[in-house]
Amino acid sequence: TTKIPFRLNQNQALLTFEDEEVAQRLIKMGKHTVNLDNKIADVSVKPFTLDVGIKFELHVTMSGKKINVSEVPDLSIPEDWVRDKLELNFYKSEQGGGGEVENVSYDKQSRTAVITFLRPGAANGFVSCTKYPFFVNGRCYRLSVSPDINVHLEKFQLYCGISKKTILLKGIQEVEDDEESVQDMIEIHFQKPSNGGGEIENIKYVSKGVTWVCFEE
């Protein structure tokens, strides 16, 4: 689930309550009189709509039979010979594990290859091996080796909505107290059941400028 940013403007506050019924009750009341440093402030409570968010499941599957090989040297020999040498090089190799090779798919233009082993799990030994020695005509080259990974998305959803547990306060008057003190006074007011409030999970007040508050759900 992606985090959804909300722009909180100057002299506004966001309050998230433990119980969504408290937030809905305060919204229905609409107007509230808050004591800020012996100054009476009439503030309004509003619901607010979040921007579009995304939910999805990312499934990653690593093949136990295939490895991807790149940086195959450009050799002046036929492509069939290159495939044969790649097969021999990865057959029962000491460094990666390897085993009998079922197929070698080689692309000369991109200098890449896909090695498919016959035995499931034979490719697992190459996961931690990023550079692999490749011996041809008495020379040793280094091949880049990576696991063959299949990635796909499931349950992809776009959504937007109104936060049920969070309220937006507007019309907070500027006072001489610092931002943290004003935030404390707002929190005290809206925690009291006599004011229609309840237990607060989180609060954010901005006296100057703007800030971004992120919602996870």
Side-chain angles (χ1 to χ4, degrees):
T1 303
T2 58
K3 292 184 178 181
I4 310 168
F6 176 78
R7 179 188 171 104
L8 187 62
N9 294 318
Q10 185 171 323
N11 291 323
Q12 292 183 349
L14 282 175
L15 285 81
T16 300
F17 294 90
E18 290 183 3
D19 189 347
E20 67 180 57
E21 290 183 9
V22 175
Q24 298 307 307
R25 181 170 62 242
L26 290 169
I27 289 171
K28 286 180 181 179
M29 293 170 67
K31 295 287 184 180
H32 295 265
T33 301
V34 183
N35 189 340
L36 300 177
D37 193 24
N38 297 320
K39 291 183 180 179
I40 301 301
D42 290 322
V43 300
S44 59
V45 176
K46 301 286 185 181
F48 61 96
T49 303
L50 295 169
D51 289 335
V52 175
I54 300 172
K55 279 186 177 181
F56 60 88
E57 289 182 2
L58 182 66
H59 294 260
V60 181
T61 306
M62 185 167 63
S63 173
K65 292 181 67 176
K66 291 183 179 181
I67 57 172
N68 296 317
V69 178
S70 58
E71 299 180 27
V72 178
D74 188 9
L75 303 169
S76 57
I77 58 175
E79 291 185 30
D80 288 349
W81 293 12
V82 176
R83 277 193 286 270
D84 290 344
K85 290 185 179 297
L86 286 168
E87 180 176 346
L88 287 170
N89 209 74
F90 285 97
Y91 177 71
K92 292 184 179 178
S93 62
E94 295 181 2
Q95 187 167 342
E100 189 172 348
V101 176
E102 181 180 305
N103 183 58
V104 176
S105 176
Y106 169 61
D107 182 17
K108 181 178 177 64
Q109 188 171 358
S110 63
R111 295 171 55 203
T112 61
V114 178
I115 312 295
T116 304
F117 295 98
L118 194 64
R119 179 178 59 86
N124 296 339
F126 295 92
V127 173
S128 59
C129 174
T130 55
K131 290 291 184 179
Y132 189 83
F134 180 45
F135 297 95
V136 181
N137 299 333
R139 289 192 60 183
C140 179
Y141 300 90
R142 292 285 173 176
L143 304 177
S144 289
V145 178
S146 61
D148 185 79
I149 296 175
N150 178 44
V151 180
H152 68 279
L153 294 177
E154 288 186 6
K155 300 180 182 178
F156 184 87
Q157 288 180 300
L158 292 174
Y159 67 94
C160 62
I162 298 173
S163 177
K164 293 181 178 180
K165 295 171 65 177
T166 305
I167 62 172
L168 174 65
L169 294 187
K170 289 185 173 183
I172 303 169
Q173 297 176 8
E174 288 190 31
V175 294
E176 294 180 359
D177 293 69
D178 60 73
E179 198 170 89
E180 188 174 345
S181 297
V182 176
Q183 182 170 291
D184 289 344
M185 286 184 276
I186 294 171
E187 185 171 7
I188 289 169
H189 176 90
F190 284 98
Q191 282 208 134
K192 291 179 179 178
S194 58
N195 293 325
E199 286 298 319
I200 294 173
E201 276 187 4
N202 218 327
I203 180 171
K204 180 62 181 175
Y205 164 67
V206 179
S207 61
K208 294 179 181 178
V210 298
T211 190
W212 291 94
V213 179
C214 284
F215 288 79
E216 290 187 351
E217 58 181 349

